[in-house]
């Protein structure tokens, strides 16, 4: 993986404040190849369901549902789930999945899915009706929160989004939210070589190039350029690039680029405590592990913080 200093030139559409970096459909098309389908949720399903049951959770707002894989995990585990995402391209796959599953299992009929903006959660698509008493849990995982830019350079946008998550919770409810190990990425210019890739288990990841943007000596953006092996998948076309693998074989790849705000752990801790309160119950789970081995370098930091 390489380290560069670049300015991301990707065109992004918006739903009010939250940018939709998936609007061109490139990432959505190959997302299941990237995350590894069910291999993704198998990696951490016990961890997240144990956290939810520990806090007596029944109702969940999946605030960054994407194609719906985590929502399905939670529905299968018996939780009542409402799902939002800023990308209509990703939601198309979630709705298709709901249609396929509802014919098999009745509880999928109750799965609410809609387009929503973290900066205005009260006015999301009317297919999602928030419970008056609030949710037991809001989930925003898979490094999703890092897609939200810092529009004014003061993290005011981030505080507003966290505040809106807080408002969606009933007293005693929990927010589960994560971010990549940006401390490591900023220091080393590449993703951690962790034994756990957690969310991204696909065996078709050909290459991920890491780019780090600094402005006045401070890291302001991380961009990842992805190449996914799409050989034999039936949706490659003449515009796809060809790449040589280590074994000498040549494969077609689909490319997409995603940019992220580099949340360091100390600053993200302060962001959460600034909204939930300095005395809020707050656990940090490296790659969902409560007791990682000494010296373990996580890919993600997962925060569980409770509303008082």
């Amino acid at each position: 993986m390489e380290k560069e200093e670049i300015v991301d030139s990707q065109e992004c559409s918006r739903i009010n404040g939250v940018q939709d970096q998936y609007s061109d459909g490139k990432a959505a098309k190959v997302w299941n190849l990237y995350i590894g389908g069910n291999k993704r949720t198998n990696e951490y399903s016990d961890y997240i369901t144990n956290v939810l049951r520990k806090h007596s959770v029944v109702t969940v707002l999946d605030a960054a549902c994407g194609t719906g894989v985590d929502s399905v995990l939670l529905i299968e585990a018996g939780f009542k789930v409402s799902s939002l995402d800023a990308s209509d391209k990703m939601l198309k796959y979630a709705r298709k999945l709901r249609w396929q599953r509802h014919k098999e299992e009745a509880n999928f009929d109750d799965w609410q899915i809609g387009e929503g903006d973290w900066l205005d959660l009260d006015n999301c698509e009317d297919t999602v009706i928030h419970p008056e008493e609030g949710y037991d849990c809001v989930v925003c995982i898979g490094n999703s929160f890092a897609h939200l830019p810092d529009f004014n350079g003061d993290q005011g946008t981030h505080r507003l989004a966290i505040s809106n998550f807080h408002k969606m919770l009933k007293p005693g409810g929990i927010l589960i939210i994560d971010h990549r190990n940006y401390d490591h990425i900023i220091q080393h210019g590449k993703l951690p070589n962790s034994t756990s890739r957690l969310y991204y288990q696909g065996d078709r990841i050909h290459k991920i190039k890491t780019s780090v943007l600094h402005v006045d000596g401070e890291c302001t953006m991380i961009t990842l350029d992805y190449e996914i092996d799409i050989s034999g998948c039936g949706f490659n076309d003449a515009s796809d690039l060809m790449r040589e693998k280590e074994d000498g074989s040549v494969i077609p790849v689909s490319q997409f680029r995603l940019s992220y705000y580099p949340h360091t752990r100390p600053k993200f801790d302060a962001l959460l405590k600034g909204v939930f309160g300095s005395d809020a119950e707050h656990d940090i789970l490296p790659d969902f592990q409560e007791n990682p081995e000494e010296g373990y370098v996580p890919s993600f930091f997962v925060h569980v913080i409770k509303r008082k």
Side-chain angles (χ1 to χ4, degrees):
M1 299 178 192
E2 304 171 21
K3 179 178 179 179
E4 300 179 351
E5 294 200 358
I6 67 164
V7 176
D8 182 27
S9 60
Q10 179 174 343
E11 292 294 329
C12 297
S13 65
R14 292 193 183 189
I15 304 173
N16 296 329
V18 177
Q19 293 181 325
D20 178 9
Q21 295 192 58
Y22 302 84
S23 59
D24 61 8
K26 291 181 179 179
K29 183 177 72 170
V30 297
W31 197 250
N32 274 340
L33 298 180
Y34 173 45
I35 66 176
N38 290 337
K39 285 166 59 179
R40 164 178 168 139
T41 51
N42 290 342
E43 178 77 3
Y44 58 91
S45 60
D46 288 343
Y47 290 117
I48 192 168
T49 53
N50 286 341
V51 169
L52 295 180
R53 289 180 178 128
K54 174 184 175 182
H55 291 275
S56 302
V57 167
V58 176
T59 57
V60 180
L61 175 63
D62 185 353
C65 72
T67 59
V69 290
D70 293 319
S71 294
V72 167
L73 178 164
L74 297 173
I75 293 169
E76 288 177 337
F79 300 101
K80 185 175 181 179
V81 180
S82 298
S83 303
L84 296 175
D85 203 275
S87 173
D88 62 334
K89 297 294 190 300
M90 299 294 267
L91 288 175
K92 178 178 74 173
Y93 292 91
R95 290 181 170 121
K96 180 179 179 181
L97 188 56
R98 177 179 60 184
W99 174 252
Q100 292 171 338
R101 294 298 298 271
H102 97 99
K103 294 182 289 185
E104 307 165 7
E105 302 168 59
N107 55 340
F108 278 84
D109 283 330
D110 297 327
W111 180 14
Q112 299 183 14
I113 302 174
E115 207 165 340
D117 178 3
W118 300 333
L119 305 184
D120 190 16
L121 286 174
D122 287 328
N123 293 304
C124 61
E125 191 174 352
D126 60 10
T127 52
V128 174
I129 301 173
H130 301 307
E132 291 185 11
E133 68 278 12
Y135 293 94
D136 296 315
C137 178
V138 173
V139 174
C140 184
I141 60 175
N143 195 45
S144 300
F145 192 75
H147 283 312
L148 183 62
D150 180 15
F151 292 123
N152 299 316
D154 61 359
Q155 288 202 274
T157 307
H158 300 152
R159 283 192 294 275
L160 174 58
I162 295 295
S163 178
N164 287 338
F165 292 158
H166 180 268
K167 291 175 183 176
M168 285 287 125
L169 292 169
K170 62 175 61 171
I174 58 170
L175 169 65
I176 301 178
I177 189 168
D178 69 8
H179 54 86
R180 281 191 182 273
N181 187 350
Y182 287 111
D183 302 80
H184 179 95
I185 296 171
I186 293 168
Q187 181 179 355
H188 299 281
K190 60 183 180 180
L191 302 179
N193 186 24
S194 172
T195 54
S196 171
R197 290 187 295 175
L198 196 60
Y199 303 115
Y200 305 111
Q201 298 293 319
D203 56 9
R204 288 177 170 267
I205 302 171
H206 176 65
K207 182 180 180 182
I208 303 176
K209 184 176 74 172
T210 306
S211 303
V212 182
L213 172 66
H214 286 86
V215 176
D216 294 332
E218 183 176 355
C219 180
T220 58
M221 183 187 296
I222 304 291
T223 296
L224 300 180
D225 288 287
Y226 302 82
E227 292 187 354
I228 308 298
D229 174 5
I230 55 172
S231 56
C233 295
F235 49 66
N236 53 304
D237 56 43
S239 65
D240 293 317
L241 298 176
M242 305 300 292
R243 291 286 188 262
E244 184 175 343
K245 298 176 66 175
E246 292 182 359
D247 63 5
S249 60
V250 177
I251 57 169
V253 298
S254 179
Q255 295 179 310
F256 61 93
R257 167 180 286 183
L258 298 175
S259 295
Y260 307 94
Y261 181 88
H263 292 286
T264 60
R265 177 175 161 177
K267 286 188 175 181
F268 202 78
D269 291 356
L271 177 67
L272 292 175
K273 289 294 183 72
V275 173
F276 281 75
S278 59
D279 58 345
E281 184 179 321
H282 179 202
D283 295 321
I284 302 172
L285 308 175
D287 291 339
F288 271 113
Q289 299 180 47
E290 291 187 355
N291 298 296
E293 296 179 1
E294 185 176 352
Y296 178 77
V297 180
S299 294
F300 297 85
F301 289 110
V302 182
H303 299 256
V304 182
I305 191 164
K306 179 181 286 190
R307 177 176 177 174
K308 293 183 289 184

